[in-house]
């Protein structure tokens, strides 16, 4: 699980079965101090996040399990909107 900031949206006219109705967002990975740690990536939104939101993401197998039906071909999924981070 890792943090990210939503930068914008992705428009896809066709999606694989199981991803219909889910938005795709561009997200930049962040560390706990909200400093960028990697290149922007596309993540499927499961919680209704919007541009500027800090979100919690899962990757790999966990991302594929975040959607129903599970095991759709995604590498990252937004599973929460972060209110604050305390370390």
């Amino acid at each position: 699980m890792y943090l990210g900031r939503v930068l914008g949206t992705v428009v896809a006219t066709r999606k694989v079965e199981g991803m219909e109705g889910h938005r795709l967002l561009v997200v930049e990975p962040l560390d706990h101090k909200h400093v960028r740690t990697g290149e922007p990536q596309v993540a499927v939104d499961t919680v209704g996040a919007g541009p500027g939101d800090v979100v919690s993401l899962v990757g790999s197998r966990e991302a594929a399990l975040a959607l129903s039906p599970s095991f759709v071909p995604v590498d990252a999924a937004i599973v929460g909107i972060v209110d604050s981070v305390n370390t």
Side-chain angles (χ1 to χ4, degrees), residues 13-78:
T13 56
R14 295 180 65 189
K15 295 180 185 175
V16 71
E17 185 177 332
M19 288 187 60
E20 301 92 349
H22 294 286
R23 294 185 323 145
L24 299 175
L25 300 176
V26 179
V27 179
E28 66 178 348
L30 304 173
D31 67 11
H32 67 283
K33 295 182 181 177
H34 295 199
V35 176
R36 182 178 167 183
T37 60
E39 294 298 316
Q41 59 186 340
V42 176
V44 64
D45 180 24
T46 67
V47 296
D53 285 344
V54 175
V55 294
S56 175
L57 297 109
V58 292
S60 303
R61 183 170 193 253
E62 288 78 15
L65 292 170
L67 296 175
S68 179
S70 58
F71 291 111
V72 293
V74 297
D75 291 327
I78 298 170

